[in-house]
Amino acid sequence: MALLSLAKVTKRHGDVVAVNAVDLEVPAGARMAVIGPSGSGKTSLLRLIAGFEAMDAGSIRLGGALLGDGQVGLPAHKRQIGYVAQEGALFPHLSIGDNIGFGLDRADPDRANKIAKLMARVGLSPSMVDRRPHQVSGGQQQRVALARALARKPRLMLLDEPFSALDAGLRESMRHTVSDILGAAGITTILVTHDQTEALSFADHLAVLRDGRLVQAGLPEDLYHRPKDAFVAQFLGEAILFDVEMVEGVAQTPLGLVVTDRPKHSGRGQLLLRPEQITVRPGRDGAVARVIGRSFRGPYVRLTVVPLHSATREIALMVSNSTAPAVGDHVRLEFNGTAHMLG
Ligand code: ADP
Ligand code: MG
């Protein structure tokens, strides 16, 4: 069942339609990533859900109850929704403890104890309680922001690119930490990011935004392997796209014949191959391409090849580091699985 339901949610900023008639269902317990390029409306969408801004049109429901309908909405502090912003947005003049306890009753005799428990939950040392935000690291600040958001026992947690200010290694470990904490608490979560790796590793549900519109939503594997269009295909990873002619489900590509996911279908269309669907074998027998570039990427090598029998542009392929051919080599290609036809 959906915990959160959005119907035709719309927000304009002057001439810009930041969020354009978005319909979205977030199942209870889900970890959803909303992904899209900068300016696609991700932050605007989260702020509407949190109640920081009013919609122009549409409705938002949480657990069946209306949070907002058209321009009328429940105030943010009554929504039971936690929010962690990109920069944490801590109060600089308050201690770590008071930042975390900001939403808790000051007269509560158990307040200090609740703050200590929240700090333990997000992995902050008790010795930090009296420090100011500028006296802890960026990763610790984000833990404080998360603890503050958890303090009010939210039914839904909204994370707006909360790891983007952290360096790569820390970003990855924070992602796991946050994911574990929210998973253990069973809190439904929406993470907003422009980073496809982050989205695919965090989420069990994905929604892709472009120009304020929801382009496609579903399971990560479905969106990755069966994207609706070239934008989603390219946004979620390396994509090899060809305009092809299909005969009985088999497409003629510059790299040879490829079986598509439209059995028995004939006609024109756009075909997607993911690099990992292609096995590269060196050799002149049956060669279809020649290697013109090779770039080392750690566990794999990114090859640039040109087809031998077609005027097509260069194509990038990923191969395992141990089997990568050299520049100048001719290669045969094997296709694994079927290629997805877009649209
Ligand atoms: P994202 O978070 O995906 O980068 P935003 O939601 O911040 O995107 O912005 C979506 C669009 O709305 C952008 O074109 C942005 O310039 C515009 N926008 C966002 N907030 C405002 C605002 N307060 N006033 C005017 N335009 C805004
Ligand atoms: Mg944003």
Side-chain angles (χ1 to χ4, degrees), residues 76-104:
H77 67 274
K78 294 196 174 156
R79 291 195 177 195
Q80 291 182 285
I81 295 178
Y83 191 95
V84 178
Q86 187 163 343
E87 301 292 347
L90 302 180
F91 303 110
H93 58 288
L94 293 184
S95 68
I96 298 300
D98 283 338
N99 264 285
I100 293 172
F102 188 76
L104 298 175

Side-chain angles (χ1 to χ4, degrees), residues 8 32 271 280:
K8 301 274 166 280
M32 174 171 283
L271 173 148
V280 180

Side-chain angles (χ1 to χ4, degrees), residues 13-298:
H13 292 294
D15 290 344
V16 179
V17 188
V19 179
N20 197 344
V22 167
D23 292 324
L24 184 66
E25 302 264 300
V26 183
R31 224 174 283 193
M32 174 171 283
V34 173
I35 182 169
S38 176
S40 57
K42 304 182 297 297
T43 296
S44 301
L45 183 67
L46 280 199
R47 292 178 61 81
L48 294 175
I49 297 170
F52 298 149
E53 279 175 70
M55 296 179 282
D56 287 306
S59 66
I60 302 178
R61 287 172 184 275
L62 186 69
L66 261 181
L67 293 186
D69 191 11
Q71 293 166 18
V72 184
L74 203 63
H77 67 274
K78 294 196 174 156
R79 291 195 177 195
Q80 291 182 285
I81 295 178
Y83 191 95
V84 178
Q86 187 163 343
E87 301 292 347
L90 302 180
F91 303 110
H93 58 288
L94 293 184
S95 68
I96 298 300
D98 283 338
N99 264 285
I100 293 172
F102 188 76
L104 298 175
D105 185 355
R106 291 202 78 85
D108 181 351
D110 202 31
R111 189 169 181 274
N113 185 32
K114 285 180 178 166
I115 292 170
K117 277 192 179 151
L118 285 161
M119 289 182 72
R121 227 165 125 194
V122 300
L124 285 170
S125 150
S127 65
M128 291 183 175
V129 70
D130 293 323
R131 289 200 208 163
R132 296 287 172 80
H134 74 271
Q135 293 169 316
V136 303
S137 72
Q140 287 161 346
Q141 287 179 23
Q142 287 307 74
R143 287 172 198 260
V144 175
L146 180 66
R148 182 176 64 183
L150 285 168
R152 297 170 57 94
K153 298 194 172 31
R155 299 175 72 189
L156 174 69
M157 183 68 82
L158 306 177
L159 306 173
D160 190 357
E161 311 214 22
F163 317 121
S164 61
L166 309 176
D167 54 45
L170 187 58
R171 196 182 309 154
E172 168 122 31
S173 73
M174 271 301 284
R175 190 159 71 222
H176 287 127
T177 306
V178 169
S179 168
D180 290 348
I181 293 165
L182 293 170
I187 300 173
T188 308
T189 302
I190 304 178
L191 168 76
V192 149
T193 177
H194 63 270
D195 178 336
Q196 49 101 354
T197 317
E198 186 158 292
L200 292 173
S201 64
F202 183 89
D204 50 23
H205 288 72
L206 269 189
V208 182
L209 280 186
R210 178 175 55 172
D211 297 336
R213 286 189 179 277
L214 193 120
V215 190
Q216 194 174 2
L219 301 177
E221 298 87 56
D222 285 341
L223 266 62
Y224 181 80
H225 291 296
R226 287 175 289 284
K228 213 160 129 182
D229 60 21
F231 170 79
V232 176
Q234 288 169 322
F235 204 72
L236 292 181
E238 293 261 3
I240 300 161
L241 297 165
F242 294 122
D243 290 320
V244 294
E245 183 85 44
M246 249 185 306
V247 179
E248 298 276 308
V250 179
Q252 177 72 58
T253 80
L255 298 175
L257 293 174
V258 176
V259 179
T260 74
D261 63 357
R262 298 260 176 91
K264 304 205 167 66
H265 192 91
S266 297
R268 296 203 61 80
Q270 196 176 26
L271 173 148
L272 165 72
L273 280 167
R274 292 296 185 187
E276 64 275 16
Q277 286 185 277
I278 303 177
T279 306
V280 180
R281 306 222 182 265
R284 288 194 168 256
D285 269 1
V288 293
R290 184 170 53 87
V291 178
I292 60 161
R294 192 180 192 278
S295 122
F296 179 66
R297 301 283 170 91

